[in-house]
């Protein structure tokens, strides 16, 4: 009988070659050399919570470097790096106080394709634009988040650069510092992943009777390792795999907040209910085993809401009734801009010009700012520090 088995390998190879081609294209010097986004002075002032005048004054008196020279009568705007410097000089950093606990957010749902990696990467870049120090940890061997950061997990990342050497049965690393990679964003770091991270799951299955104690050791290790790293960040975002395995469990335990993305569809709703009930059972078992889990917040977010689809509105209503205030009121809208950006291995926050129409782009970004701002507010809720400089301070200072 004819068998098509050999075809599988060929398909994989052809696919890999295509991914590499896409990645190279995304990284052609003219299409992506580091980070291109720029912010006009009005936008910068709005982000800092001050007046444009305050920025201009600081540029005039030398506290800030002179504004970027204009080209063809238009100023190119400030880079993320310049924006961060501006925050430092003008005392408008949103960073937590040393005693405030950094947020370690698991973006989790056992259902696949609900938008975990999309939410993780956009949340990371949203926080970065707002001036926070961010660490993203790709805990999924599918490595979508790693790809969205512009790495090819197959070619650019080795197992030794992932969580593996730290979580392996025979660990070769005692802390997680080795795994932290710089990204094009000055204030976002990444621990990448690749397919070989899945070995962590195999090892446990092979460990037989010792499985329980190995599992417990890994839980403690991931939590300890991430808590250590988190000292240098305001927000740590974890993208776990869409399944109940060692790594997912360790992530749940290492996090101090849980964000559950889901689309407004019946299958996503049903799977998410199952996920929540499974989480409930697992968390009880962990607590009974003396492994402590605590979340500052647990929220669900609708991750690809299509306002023109009546079925989405209906399912959303069902979700509101079931989850009440745990469902964040502002959903992330489904947008071609997001999927097009993903094709270029980018988030909306990395685009220096719209892919679709200017209107689509603007609407998409405004929606993301609002939706992800809800998560920022939850993170800040537990920080006991003063808000970034307000207009009032500026007036008083100038007086
Ligand atoms: N708001 C959105 N608008 C348009 N497309 C979206 C949106 N959110 C997610 N997508 C698309 O949906 C697909 C699945 O998203 P994503 O990879 O983030 O899900 P995931 O939960 O991480 O999947 P997995 O379970 O495989 O890890 C991707 O193609 C992504 O580009
Ligand atoms: Mg994913």
């Amino acid at each position: 009988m004819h068998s098509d088995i050999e075809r599988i390998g060929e398909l994989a190879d052809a696919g890999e070659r295509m991914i590499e081609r896409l990645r190279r294209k995304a990284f052609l010097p003219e299409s992506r050399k580091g980070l291109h986004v720029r912010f006009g002075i009005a936008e910068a002032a709005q982000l800092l919570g001050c007046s444009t005048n305050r920025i201009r004054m600081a540029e005039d008196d030398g506290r800030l470097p002179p504004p970027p020279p204009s080209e063809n009568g238009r100023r190119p705007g400030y880079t993320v790096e310049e924006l961060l410097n501006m925050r430092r000089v003008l005392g408008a950093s949103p960073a937590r106080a040393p005693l405030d606990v950094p947020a370690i957010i698991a973006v989790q749902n056992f259902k696949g394709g609900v938008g975990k990696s999309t939410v993780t990467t956009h949340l990371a870049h949203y926080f970065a634009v707002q001036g926070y120090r961010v660490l993203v940890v790709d805990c999924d061997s599918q490595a979508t988040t790693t790809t969205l950061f512009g790495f090819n997990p197959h070619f650019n990342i080795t197992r030794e650069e992932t969580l593996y050497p730290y979580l392996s049965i025979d660990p070769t690393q005692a802390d997680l510092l080795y795994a932290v990679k710089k990204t094009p964003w000055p204030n976002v770091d990444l621990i990448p992943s690749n397919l070989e991270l899945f070995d962590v799951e195999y090892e446990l299955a092979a460990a037989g009777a010792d499985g329980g104690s190995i599992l417990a050791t890994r839980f403690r290790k991931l939590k300890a390792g991430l808590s250590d790293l988190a000292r240098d960040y305001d927000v740590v975002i974890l993208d776990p795999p869409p399944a109940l395995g060692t790594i997912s469990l360790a992530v749940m335990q290492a996090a101090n907040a849980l964000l559950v993305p889901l689309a407004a569809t019946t299958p996503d709703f049903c799977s998410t209910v199952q996920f929540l009930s499974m989480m409930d059972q697992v968390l009880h078992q962990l607590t009974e085993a003396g492994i402590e889990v605590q979340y500052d917040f647990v929220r669900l977010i609708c991750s690809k809401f299509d306002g023109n689809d009546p079925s989405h509105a209906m399912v959303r209503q069902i979700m509101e009734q079931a989850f009440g205030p745990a469902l964040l009121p502002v959903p992330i809208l489904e947008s071609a801009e997001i999927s097009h950006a993903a094709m270029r291995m980018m988030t909306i926050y990395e685009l220096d010009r719209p892919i679709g129409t200017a209107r689509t782009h603007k609407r998409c970004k405004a929606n993301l700012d609002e939706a992800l701002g809800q998560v920022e507010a939850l993170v800040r809720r537990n920080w006991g520090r003063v808000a970034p400089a307000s207009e009032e301070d500026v007036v008083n200072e100038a007086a």
Side-chain angles (χ1 to χ4, degrees):
M1 208 172 78
H2 171 75
S3 165
D4 233 8
I5 282 184
E6 306 84 57
R7 282 284 289 153
I8 299 177
E10 290 169 23
L11 291 171
D13 289 344
E16 272 301 341
R17 284 195 299 276
M18 182 53 80
I19 293 172
E20 189 52 20
R21 257 175 64 191
L22 288 172
R23 195 187 68 85
R24 278 179 206 278
K25 205 167 155 213
F27 276 87
L28 281 180
E30 63 269 27
S31 58
R32 180 169 178 171
K33 196 165 48 194
L35 189 58
H36 285 305
V37 271
R38 300 280 182 152
F39 302 84
I41 190 161
E43 206 179 355
Q46 200 198 4
L47 281 166
L48 266 70
C50 71
S51 63
T52 51
N53 230 354
R54 187 160 190 224
I55 297 174
R56 289 211 177 90
M57 268 160 57
E59 286 173 342
D60 283 346
D61 66 24
R63 280 176 297 152
L64 284 173
S70 54
E71 290 164 17
N72 315 326
R74 280 200 56 182
R75 288 201 199 286
Y78 303 99
T79 62
V80 173
E81 186 82 65
E82 285 165 337
L83 214 57
L84 284 172
N85 181 47
M86 214 178 257
R87 287 185 186 276
R88 272 190 294 270
V89 171
L90 299 180
S93 167
R96 67 189 170 85
L99 288 180
D100 292 333
V101 180
I104 305 181
I105 309 171
V107 181
Q108 177 65 306
N109 194 334
F110 293 156
K111 174 89 163 60
V114 290
K116 293 181 290 294
S117 303
T118 306
V119 170
T120 297
T121 47
H122 281 85
L123 202 52
H125 293 166
Y126 167 80
F127 272 113
V129 170
Q130 303 299 321
Y132 296 88
R133 300 161 299 165
V134 185
L135 173 69
V136 177
V137 187
D138 193 350
C139 311
D140 183 4
S141 53
Q142 294 179 96
T144 312
T145 289
T146 301
T147 309
L148 281 168
F149 270 96
F151 297 100
N152 181 328
H154 197 68
F155 289 110
N156 308 139
I157 305 293
T158 68
R159 188 174 75 175
E160 308 317 310
E161 295 172 285
T162 70
L163 290 174
Y164 180 81
Y166 182 74
L167 290 182
S168 148
I169 281 191
D170 298 311
T172 52
Q173 295 283 355
D175 61 50
L176 280 172
L177 277 172
Y178 72 92
V180 177
K181 277 205 165 10
K182 294 269 158 224
T183 73
W185 291 75
N187 52 343
V188 183
D189 291 340
L190 169 74
I191 296 187
S193 168
N194 78 3
L195 200 56
E196 293 169 289
L197 182 59
F198 201 76
D199 291 353
V200 169
E201 311 279 353
Y202 282 134
E203 282 178 356
L204 189 77
D210 293 334
S213 68
I214 295 171
L215 204 59
T217 311
R218 279 177 177 164
F219 288 168
R220 273 194 292 276
K221 272 195 88 170
L222 190 62
K223 183 168 185 150
L226 288 176
S227 305
D228 272 351
L229 283 185
R231 286 197 199 120
D232 293 332
Y233 301 92
D234 301 305
V235 186
V236 179
I237 307 171
L238 312 174
D239 182 9
L244 182 63
T246 313
I247 296 182
S248 294
L249 286 170
V251 164
M252 278 179 199
Q253 205 249 332
N256 61 20
L258 178 66
L259 184 65
V260 183
L262 75 163
T265 63
T266 312
D268 273 20
F269 175 69
C270 296
S271 303
T272 303
V273 172
Q274 271 177 23
F275 162 72
L276 292 170
S277 104
M278 214 190 272
M279 275 286 284
D280 181 52
Q281 283 175 29
V282 170
L283 292 177
H284 275 105
Q285 283 166 7
L286 289 177
T287 313
E288 274 166 28
I291 299 174
E292 198 193 356
V293 185
Q294 266 181 346
Y295 295 145
D296 286 338
F297 62 83
V298 174
R299 292 292 186 280
L300 298 108
I301 186 159
C302 198
S303 52
K304 14 180 163 174
F305 186 73
D306 180 356
N308 296 321
D309 184 337
S311 78
H312 277 224
M314 275 160 65
V315 176
R316 196 173 153 74
Q317 231 171 32
I318 292 172
M319 282 161 51
E320 272 166 8
Q321 276 173 24
F323 301 136
L327 178 72
L328 290 173
V330 182
I332 297 175
L333 301 178
E334 181 152 48
S335 170
E337 199 71 356
I338 292 184
S339 38
H340 283 155
M343 245 181 78
R344 292 166 200 216
M345 297 170 195
M346 285 178 159
T347 66
I348 297 303
Y349 293 104
E350 294 181 293
L351 298 174
D352 55 348
R353 66 181 79 101
I355 298 178
T357 64
R359 198 164 145 258
T360 309
H361 179 82
K362 213 170 151 187
R363 198 173 45 194
C364 177
K365 190 141 171 264
N367 165 249
L368 279 170
D369 282 346
E370 198 187 353
L372 303 176
Q374 301 173 111
V375 182
E376 182 192 5
L378 288 166
V379 165
R380 294 201 68 87
R381 204 177 50 170
N382 291 319
W383 292 352
R385 53 165 291 140
V386 286
S390 66
E391 202 69 30
E392 206 177 331
D393 299 333
V394 179
V395 175
N396 291 341
E397 197 184 79

